[in-house]
Amino acid sequence: MSTQSFLLLAAFLAALLVTAYPLGIYLTKVGDGTTIPGLGWIARIESFVYKLCGITSESAMGWKTYALALLIFNAIGAIAVYAVQRLQAWLPFNPQAFANVSPDSAFNTAVSFVSNTNWQGYSGESTMSYLTQMLVLTGQNFFSAATGMAVAYALIRGFTSRSAKSIGNFWIDITRSTLYVLLPLSAIFAIFLMSQGVIQNFSAYKDVTLLDPVTYQQAKNAPDGQPLKDAQGNPVMETLTTKTQTLPMGPVASQEAIKMLGTNGGGFFNANSAHPFENPTPLTNFIQMLSIFLIPAGLCFAFGRMVGDMRQGWAVLGAMTAIFVVMTAVVLIAEQQVHPGLHALGIDQASSTLQSGGNMEGKETRFGISASALFAAITTAASCGAVNAMHDSFMPIGGLVPLVLIQFGEVIFGGVGSGLYGMLIFAILAVFIAGLMIGRTPEYLGKKIQAYEMKMTSITILVTPVLVLTGTAIAVLLDPGKAGIANPGAHGFSEILYAFSSAANNNGSAFAGLSANTPFYNIMLAIAMWFGRFAMIVPILAIAGSLAAKKRLEVTAGTMPTHGPLFVTLLVGVVVLVGVLNYVPALALGPVVEHLQLIAH
C-alpha cells in the first residue's frame, strides 16, 4: 500500500472518530427520548406530529405491534413511490416532459428506495422528473434511514429493559430520528455541498457550447430508419461534428446530502458520485466518504452509552474497524497494480509511468486510485451504494473486496441503524458459541441467550445468503437472466452475483456490465431487496421483545467479558466465518477464477 493510500486511510479514520464520538452523545439523547437543549423549536414540531398521529411521548408498543407499524408504514411508502413514478408525466416539476416510468421499473425502484437499497436500473437524469426525485425518492431516503435507526434503538432497549413488555414506539422513534438527526445534518451538509459546486436548481436542461467541438462517426440510416449498408453488407458510416452539449440540471445537493448521510446511495445522475455536479472536488469526495460512516459509527457510541458501558460500544466499533481496515488495504493494494494485459502491448512495467499510477481504468482523474478504492470499500462496507468509480473496471481481487464487504451482511459499519443491529446479531451468535465452548448458558449484556433468540438469529443471518444464492442460480439458468450479461465467463457470473448480493443486502451499488433494467431483473431484484430488508427486521424485533421481557442479570466472576480484545477477536472471527462462508463456492466461480485467468495470460 502506498504512503498516499496509508495517509488517506489514517486521515479518514481519525476524522471519523473525532466527528462520530460527539454525535454518539447526541444520538443517545435522541434514542432515550430526552429533551435536547437549544432545539425547542424541533420539540414543538415533534409534539404537533404526535398530536396528528394520536399518540403521546409515553406511548409504548410490544414487538409485534412495533413490527406491524413498521411494515405498514413502509408498504404505504412503496405504494407512494410507485404511484408518483407512474403518474409523473402529468404531474408538475417535469420540465423535460419525461414519460411515466414503466411498471416493472417503477416497482423495482419503489422497493429499492423503501428498503434503503437504492438500486437504480434507470438513468436518473433521463428518467425521473424533479418532482419524483424530490418528493418520493428523497423522501424515502429519509424514511428508510429513520426506519433503520428505529430498529437499532428498539434492539438496544431490548438489552437495557428489565422485564418489560415494550421496546418503544415506532412512530416516536422514526419521528425523532428524522427531525433531530437526519433533517438537520442533511441541511448542513447540503449547504456545504452547494458551496463546493454541487448544483441545486429547478432549471430545464441547458445546451452549452463546447470549447472543443467533437467529431465522431456513426452508422447512417435510410429514410425508413433502417441502417444503410454498402455492397459488402457493411454499415455506411457518416462523420458528424457536435458543437454543443446538453447539461442536466436539478435539485441535486438536497438529495446528495441524505443520499450519503442515510447510507442510501441513489444518485440524481446515472454516474452517481462520479458526476461533477454531485461530487465536484477532492474535498467533497472526502466529506462524502466521511458522511457515509458518520451515523453508523456514532450509533456504536450511542449503544455503549445506552447500555451503560461504553466499553461495549468500543468493542463493536473495534470489530467493525478491524475488518474494514484489512479489506480496504487489500483493495488499495490491488488497484495500485498495473493490469497484466498491458504486457501484451509490450509495455515495460519497470520503466512505465503506469507502474506508479496503477489501474486507472474506470476511475475519476479528479480523485485518483487511492480515493476511488477507499470510496469503494466505504460504500460497500456501509449499506450505501454510492459510487465514484466503476467497480466493474477494478482488478479481479479489487472487485472481490466490495463484493465480499457486501456479503458480510452490511455489518462493517453498515447502513444507518442496520449496521449496528446486524453486528449485534453476530455478537449474540458469538456469545452463544463461546457459551457452548465453556459449558455455561450464554449471556450478553446481562441477558440470557436461549433457544428462541438463537432461532431468530439463525433466520436473520441465513435469509440473505438464501436470497443471493437462489437468485443468482435462477438468473444463470434462465435465458432472461443470461440475456443481460455483457461479459461472458467468470466476469459475467460476478456481475450477476454482485447484483443479487447488492440487492439482498440492501447496498445498491452495481458491478455494471449487466443489463438489469428488464422485467426479469426488476422483479427478481425487487424480491431480494424487500425480503433482504424486512425478513431480517422482523426477527430482530422479535429478539428485542424477547430480551426486553427478561431480567437483566448482574455481572459475576463467571460472566464472560464482552468488551475486551478476546471478545473482539471472537466477534471478528464469527463475522468472517459465518458471514462469508456461504459464498465461498460462488466467489470461486467468479472473481477468484477471473484473477487466475488474468495472471495466466
Side-chain angles (χ1 to χ4, degrees):
M1 189 164 66
S2 69
T3 302
Q4 180 193 38
S5 297
F6 175 80
L7 292 175
L8 178 61
L9 178 58
F12 170 78
L13 292 174
L16 180 64
L17 178 61
V18 169
T19 52
Y21 188 85
L23 179 62
I25 300 173
Y26 182 78
L27 291 172
T28 302
K29 296 179 179 179
V30 174
D32 284 341
T34 56
T35 302
I36 302 175
L39 295 180
W41 60 279
I42 295 183
R44 288 191 288 272
I45 298 174
E46 179 187 3
S47 298
F48 177 72
V49 172
Y50 295 163
K51 185 177 292 186
L52 286 178
C53 296
I55 62 174
T56 66
S57 58
E58 288 77 30
S59 299
M61 294 177 171
W63 80 264
K64 292 180 181 179
T65 306
Y66 197 104
L68 182 62
L70 184 150
L71 292 173
I72 292 174
F73 177 77
N74 283 276
I76 294 173
I79 294 171
V81 177
Y82 179 84
V84 172
Q85 290 178 88
R86 297 289 292 137
L87 299 172
Q88 72 174 11
W90 304 298
L91 296 175
F93 294 102
N94 186 9
Q96 293 77 34
F98 288 145
N100 296 327
V101 182
S102 66
D104 58 290
S105 181
F107 172 68
N108 179 277
T109 303
V111 173
S112 176
F113 276 75
V114 167
S115 63
N116 200 244
T117 309
N118 299 77
W119 171 274
Q120 295 175 285
Y122 59 89
S123 298
E125 64 268 45
S126 60
T127 305
M128 300 296 183
S129 70
Y130 292 166
L131 182 71
T132 303
Q133 297 261 31
M134 289 187 302
L135 179 62
V136 290
L137 299 190
T138 303
Q140 280 304 320
N141 282 348
F142 282 97
F143 297 140
S144 64
T147 296
M149 294 180 66
V151 176
Y153 283 136
L155 182 57
I156 294 172
R157 293 189 196 105
F159 289 112
T160 59
S161 299
R162 299 175 183 271
S163 302
K165 296 182 179 180
S166 168
I167 58 172
N169 185 298
F170 173 73
W171 306 115
I172 292 175
D173 287 339
I174 198 170
T175 299
R176 288 181 65 85
S177 297
T178 303
L179 290 179
Y180 287 98
V181 182
L182 298 174
L183 278 171
L185 287 179
S186 296
I188 295 169
F189 191 27
I191 293 171
F192 165 77
L193 291 173
M194 286 188 286
S195 73
Q196 297 298 304
V198 177
I199 63 173
Q200 180 76 12
N201 58 53
F202 297 102
S203 301
Y205 289 4
K206 298 183 181 297
D207 291 326
V208 298
T209 302
L210 296 174
L211 295 176
D212 295 313
V214 176
T215 300
Y216 61 97
Q217 285 190 325
Q218 70 176 23
K220 192 173 183 179
N221 291 334
D224 61 357
Q226 298 299 315
L228 289 174
K229 295 185 178 180
D230 58 22
Q232 289 74 36
N234 298 318
V236 176
M237 305 300 291
E238 61 179 341
T239 300
L240 301 174
T241 299
T242 182
K243 298 180 180 180
T244 62
Q245 178 181 355
T246 301
L247 296 182
M249 297 282 110
V252 178
S254 55
Q255 180 167 325
E256 187 73 12
I258 187 59
K259 157 193 162 182
M260 295 301 188
L261 286 165
T263 60
N264 294 286
F268 195 95
F269 303 113
N270 188 45
N272 209 281
S273 287
H275 198 292
F277 286 172
E278 282 197 34
N279 190 10
T281 68
L283 177 60
T284 60
N285 190 69
F286 184 86
I287 301 300
Q288 285 190 14
M289 291 191 293
L290 185 64
S291 66
I292 294 173
F293 272 10
L294 181 61
I295 298 177
L299 281 170
C300 292
F301 293 119
F303 164 68
R305 290 182 175 276
M306 292 177 74
V307 299
D309 187 354
M310 275 299 295
R311 296 175 300 176
Q312 303 295 337
W314 281 108
V316 171
L317 185 66
M320 292 178 175
T321 305
I323 303 174
F324 171 72
V325 169
V326 171
M327 298 299 291
T328 302
V330 173
V331 70
L332 286 168
I333 293 170
E335 292 310 299
Q336 286 160 359
Q337 309 304 310
V338 175
H339 197 290
L342 294 175
H343 288 298
L345 302 177
I347 296 177
D348 180 7
Q349 288 196 51
S351 60
S352 173
T353 56
L354 292 173
Q355 177 64 24
S356 60
N359 178 32
M360 272 297 293
E361 181 186 345
K363 298 178 179 65
E364 278 290 304
T365 55
R366 290 175 292 140
F367 309 134
I369 291 173
S370 296
S372 298
L374 177 59
F375 198 111
I378 291 169
T379 195
T380 50
S383 178
C384 186
V387 293
N388 75 346
M390 184 68 70
H391 295 181
D392 191 53
S393 296
F394 279 27
M395 301 287 280
I397 298 301
L400 173 70
V401 170
L403 179 55
V404 171
L405 283 170
I406 291 173
Q407 291 172 344
F408 273 126
E410 304 289 358
V411 299
I412 306 167
F413 291 95
V416 170
S418 62
L420 177 61
Y421 64 65
M423 184 59 87
L424 291 179
I425 293 301
F426 276 106
I428 290 172
L429 180 60
V431 297
F432 178 78
I433 294 173
L436 292 178
M437 291 190 293
I438 63 178
R440 59 175 289 134
T441 302
E443 298 175 15
Y444 187 51
L445 302 178
K447 296 298 179 83
K448 286 187 177 182
I449 306 302
Q450 297 173 304
Y452 182 79
E453 289 79 26
M454 290 314 304
K455 290 176 183 177
M456 296 299 104
T457 295
S458 299
I459 294 173
T460 301
I461 292 176
L462 292 176
V463 65
T464 49
V466 169
L467 290 169
V468 171
L469 298 176
T470 302
T472 302
I474 293 173
V476 298
L477 286 174
L478 299 182
D479 290 336
K482 292 183 285 187
I485 301 175
N487 302 290
H491 193 78
F493 179 81
S494 295
E495 292 169 353
I496 295 177
L497 179 63
Y498 193 108
F500 280 96
S501 298
S502 179
N505 289 283
N506 304 131
N507 181 267
S509 66
F511 220 38
L514 180 69
S515 299
N517 194 13
T518 63
F520 174 82
Y521 277 110
N522 280 333
I523 294 171
M524 288 290 292
L525 293 175
I527 292 171
M529 288 185 283
W530 183 267
F531 287 100
R533 177 72 162 178
F534 299 107
M536 280 189 65
I537 283 178
V538 172
I540 286 172
L541 291 175
I543 293 172
S546 176
L547 293 175
K550 295 182 178 183
K551 294 180 179 180
R552 193 171 185 185
L553 306 176
E554 298 298 327
V555 176
T556 67
T559 303
M560 187 187 77
T562 55
H563 53 72
L566 181 62
F567 179 74
V568 171
T569 303
L570 175 63
L571 181 55
V572 169
V574 169
V575 171
V576 172
L577 291 177
V578 177
V580 179
L581 199 59
N582 297 296
Y583 300 103
V584 169
L587 292 170
L589 293 173
V592 174
V593 167
E594 186 182 358
H595 173 72
L596 295 175
Q597 291 174 332
L598 186 65
I599 61 177
H601 290 84

